[in-house]
């Protein structure tokens, strides 16, 4: 099972990926949105790893997040990022740069900040 450190490394790796795209000009904003969500996944997984909890599916992760009250403050943010990632991947939704910049990135930052404080 990946360790807390493995998940933190992966979260930072995902951030390097999605921030390497200019939000205003990239043709790959769908992948930026997906990268943002998967960065959030790894922040959550880093926290869960400290509890000895290693979910293997999104459903298991969602359930685990609800068990740990420390994560209550970011449940909605995480769900928004998950939904927007699904919209990009499965519904071919084209997010605009301002949605990413003003809504998704701040939601991710809230998750990262909370989890880093808990680690």
């Amino acid at each position: 099972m990946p360790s807390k450190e493995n998940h933190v490394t992966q979260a930072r790796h995902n951030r390097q990926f999605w921030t390497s795209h200019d939000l205003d000009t990239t043709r790959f904003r769908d992948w930026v949105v997906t990268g943002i969500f998967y960065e959030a996944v790894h922040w959550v997984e880093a926290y869960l790893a400290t509890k000895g909890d290693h979910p293997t599916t999104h459903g298991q992760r969602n359930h685990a997040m609800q068990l740990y009250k420390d994560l209550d403050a970011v449940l909605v943010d995480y769900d928004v990022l998950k939904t927007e990632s699904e919209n990009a991947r499965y519904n071919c939704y084209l997010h605009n740069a301002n949605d990413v910049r003003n809504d998704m990135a701040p939601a991710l930052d809230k998750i990262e900040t909370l989890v880093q404080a808990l680690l």
Side-chain angles (χ1 to χ4, degrees):
M1 305 264 77
S3 68
K4 169 190 80 172
E5 292 79 12
N6 295 139
H7 287 296
V8 168
T9 297
Q10 188 64 44
R12 290 182 175 144
H13 174 78
N14 290 352
R15 180 168 291 252
Q16 285 179 323
F17 164 74
W18 74 262
T19 60
S20 70
H21 296 272
D22 181 314
L23 293 176
D24 295 309
T25 61
T26 186
R27 298 179 320 139
F28 302 105
R29 213 170 294 118
D30 54 335
W31 286 108
V32 168
V33 170
T34 299
I36 287 172
F37 170 63
Y38 279 101
E39 180 183 345
V41 165
H42 285 285
W43 284 118
V44 169
E45 289 281 343
Y47 171 80
L48 294 175
T50 69
K51 303 299 184 187
D53 202 337
H54 301 278
T56 58
T57 67
H58 290 297
Q60 289 174 357
R61 185 176 311 102
N62 290 348
H63 178 72
M65 287 180 73
Q66 295 188 18
L67 294 176
Y68 298 101
K69 297 303 176 192
D70 289 342
L71 298 176
D72 281 355
V74 296
L75 289 174
V76 171
D77 298 288
Y78 181 87
D79 191 53
V80 165
L81 296 179
K82 181 176 181 285
T83 298
E84 294 308 328
S85 175
E86 290 168 347
N87 284 338
R89 288 180 284 139
Y90 305 124
N91 299 324
C92 304
Y93 183 81
L94 301 175
H95 294 86
N96 69 53
N98 286 331
D99 289 339
V100 175
R101 189 178 293 114
N102 299 328
D103 299 329
M104 289 172 241
L108 172 60
D109 290 342
K110 185 176 172 185
I111 293 166
E112 177 187 4
T113 299
L114 176 72
V115 170
Q116 283 192 4
L118 294 171
L119 298 179

